[in-house]
Amino acid sequence: MDVDECAESRHLCGPGAVCINHPGSYTCQCPPNSSGDPLLGCTHARVQCSRDADCDGPYERCVRAACVCPAPYYADVNDGHKCKSPCERFSCGINAQCTPADPPQCTCLAGYTGEATLGCLDVDECLGVSPCASSALCVNEKGGFKCVCPKGTTGDPYTLGCVGSGSPRTECRVDKVGCLDVDECLGVSPCASSALCVNEKGGFKCVCPKGTTGDPYTLGCVGSGSPRTECRVDKECSPSLQCRGGACVDPCRSVECGAHALCEPQDHRASCRCELGYTEGLNGKCVSLCEGIVCAPGAACIVTPAGPTCTCADGARGNPFPGGACYPDLCSATQPCPALSVCVAGRCKARCAGVVCGAGAQCDPALDRCVCPPFYVGDPEFNCVPPVTMPVCIPPCGPNAHCEYNSESPGSSPGSDNICVCNSGTHGNPYAGCGTAGPQDRGSCDSGAGLCGPGAQCLETGGSVECQCPAGYKGNPYVQCVAHLCGRVVKSTDSQHGGAGPGY
């Protein structure tokens, strides 16, 4: 029975090429209105134009009578060469947004602060000087705040202030150069239930109203003259406040959370939750979502709204995932570019055959032209953008191993060209499992059929077994090795352990 490599995404066609299955083999072809080597990649033919309106989408521009996708935008060869925003393949941290630029820029959303590339935290506007009007309460919210009048008072809590039986009387509010007395009696009273707060220069005092007795600082005042308290039960307070001692207070004031956790008031109760980028582990402690994530050299793991991912540091670009690498992107007179690159407007760009390549592109010496690096997409004359997702391996990796992009076999078939690699400090067959005690003993190459993929060679070294593709063949040696003959991909029928040919 023939195996359809095109349907199973096990082909080696280049980006933008079409896979056509044949009995026992398959071929790669460039689609209509495109050109190039189908094993390396196909280039979309440019549409003639006289103005920008003649081009497709909001990003294409008419340049020298042809529609192009200018930087910072890129042409997606895997989606009909549509011109797309670089933010579709650029990751920002939680509570941050991406702005199309060269390179793309991350900024915190309104009401948040921090390093936008790594993630932004909520700004507590209620800390320090309250942004609310006189006698109003400030309640912090995610990405902002709100002002509310205490129970028993009315008014505009944002500008004019709150007045009523629950509002402390203020003679005036001034703002002059110098030091002013802090009125501790404004807002939530620091005194006990039913006690009166009296502001004094440099402090305050609590007194029980006439006709009542008790401790005005801690236990409260009782008696016929006791005024009505602000609350008696939690439901009389805002959901973010708790009724305590007759007053609505923040329940988080007396709660201390563990490492990488913060307190959030909810339904009148204090709740400790893990900070952004952390989750509750098996032991109840907060652990990073980046725990166990492997990134390329020069890259770091960050947490995005879609989950953990890898990104290059500021001032660098490249494939941040395993199998890739990050390299300097910004340049100046004191920070020159690497060899074979030139500094253009503060960005390092490759030069090929006297032509400066687009951002992120590289020069292929064999073809003597600009090309997008493996697993990048775009037009090498303008902009090539790196992958935005973690590599996926087919078959999946074993324990203590991770999947890497395989730049030596960058086909368009998801997963089949990537390879599994043992994690640092471990050894063994990454598809079966890696350990720290040394290479995992897999017996011998004669221990059974199916150890290596069709067309692969089985090697025994130091008590372990390794599979490799022979010279002239490419692919995943644990899945299948294929040979290139005259631009046609030919499936081997010589399996290491015999049996039917791999195309059947």
Side-chain angles (χ1 to χ4, degrees):
M1 181 178 178
D2 177 58
V3 176
D4 189 345
E5 291 84 358
C6 299
E8 296 182 4
S9 297
R10 295 174 60 179
H11 58 83
L12 297 176
C13 299
V18 176
C19 176
I20 303 175
N21 188 64
H22 301 287
S25 66
Y26 64 89
T27 57
C28 302
Q29 293 182 1
C30 286
N33 299 323
S34 64
S35 60
D37 186 335
L39 297 179
L40 297 177
C42 302
T43 303
H44 184 65
R46 291 175 178 168
V47 178
Q48 299 299 309
C49 61
S50 60
R51 55 180 182 170
D52 291 344
D54 297 333
C55 303
D56 293 333
Y59 305 132
E60 282 194 358
R61 295 292 181 265
C62 186
V63 179
R64 298 177 183 175
C67 291
V68 300
C69 185
Y73 305 98
Y74 73 97
D76 192 344
V77 298
N78 298 321
D79 190 15
H81 289 82
K82 292 181 180 178
C83 190
K84 298 182 178 182
S85 168
C87 289
E88 295 189 21
R89 296 175 69 92
F90 191 84
S91 299
C92 295
I94 294 179
N95 298 325
Q97 61 185 1
C98 176
T99 301
D102 187 17
Q105 300 295 319
C106 295
T107 55
C108 290
L109 298 174
Y112 294 86
T113 184
E115 177 56 54
T117 304
L118 303 178
C120 304
L121 299 176
D122 175 57
V123 176
D124 189 348
E125 293 87 355
C126 298
L127 289 178
V129 179
S130 174
C132 301
S134 174
S135 301
L137 298 177
C138 179
V139 180
N140 185 59
E141 295 183 331
K142 292 183 178 180
F145 69 95
K146 67 178 180 181
C147 300
V148 296
C149 286
K151 188 173 181 178
T153 67
T154 58
D156 184 346
Y158 291 93
T159 55
L160 300 179
C162 306
V163 294
S165 60
S167 174
R169 179 182 178 276
T170 57
E171 181 178 0
C172 62
R173 296 188 69 179
V174 296
D175 185 12
K176 296 181 180 180
V177 177
C179 298
L180 299 177
D181 174 59
V182 176
D183 189 348
E184 294 87 351
C185 297
L186 286 178
V188 179
S189 174
C191 300
S193 175
S194 302
L196 298 178
C197 179
V198 180
N199 186 57
E200 296 181 334
K201 290 184 178 181
F204 70 96
K205 69 179 181 180
C206 300
V207 297
C208 285
K210 187 175 181 180
T212 66
T213 59
D215 184 348
Y217 291 93
T218 56
L219 300 178
C221 306
V222 293
S224 59
S226 176
R228 185 177 182 273
T229 59
E230 182 181 5
C231 64
R232 297 183 184 275
V233 293
D234 288 341
K235 65 180 181 180
E236 295 180 352
C237 300
S238 168
S240 60
L241 299 177
Q242 184 182 62
C243 186
R244 190 179 297 171
C248 294
V249 298
D250 184 354
C252 285
R253 289 183 178 179
S254 58
V255 174
E256 292 186 6
C257 299
H260 305 297
L262 49 82
C263 182
E264 288 186 353
Q266 185 178 22
D267 296 333
H268 313 290
R269 293 292 181 268
S271 176
C272 288
R273 299 187 179 183
C274 293
E275 296 176 352
L276 289 175
Y278 290 82
T279 186
E280 186 175 349
L282 297 178
N283 57 0
K285 297 182 179 180
C286 295
V287 295
S288 173
L289 289 173
C290 286
E291 189 81 19
I293 300 296
V294 180
C295 298
C301 177
I302 65 170
V303 179
T304 70
T309 188
C310 297
T311 183
C312 292
D314 290 341
R317 70 178 299 159
N319 181 352
F321 301 104
C326 298
Y327 53 89
D329 183 49
L330 303 180
C331 56
S332 63
T334 58
Q335 186 178 350
C337 295
L340 304 180
S341 298
V342 294
C343 188
V344 179
R347 301 288 302 282
C348 292
K349 295 184 178 182
R351 181 160 52 188
C352 198
V355 177
V356 176
C357 302
Q362 65 184 22
C363 180
D364 188 331
L367 301 175
D368 200 24
R369 63 183 176 91
C370 300
V371 297
C372 286
F375 306 106
Y376 285 56
V377 296
D379 188 333
E381 293 186 18
F382 294 95
N383 190 25
C384 296
V385 293
V388 70
T389 57
M390 289 280 189
V392 177
C393 284
I394 302 174
C397 304
N400 297 321
H402 64 274
C403 184
E404 288 191 356
Y405 282 108
N406 184 10
S407 60
E408 296 182 358
S409 181
S412 60
S413 50
S416 62
D417 296 319
N418 300 329
I419 57 175
C420 291
V421 178
C422 288
N423 293 340
S424 178
T426 64
H427 307 275
N429 183 340
Y431 293 87
C434 305
T436 57
Q440 182 174 349
D441 187 3
R442 291 281 306 194
S444 66
C445 292
D446 298 328
S447 59
L451 182 62
C452 298
Q457 295 177 338
C458 183
L459 303 176
E460 298 179 13
T461 55
S464 65
V465 172
E466 182 181 359
C467 300
Q468 293 183 352
C469 287
Y473 285 73
K474 290 186 178 182
N476 187 335
Y478 294 91
V479 179
Q480 182 184 19
C481 297
V482 295
H484 295 258
L485 298 177
C486 300
R488 180 183 177 91
V489 179
V490 180
K491 290 177 282 189
S492 170
T493 58
D494 180 19
S495 175
Q496 172 71 20
H497 302 285
Y504 296 88

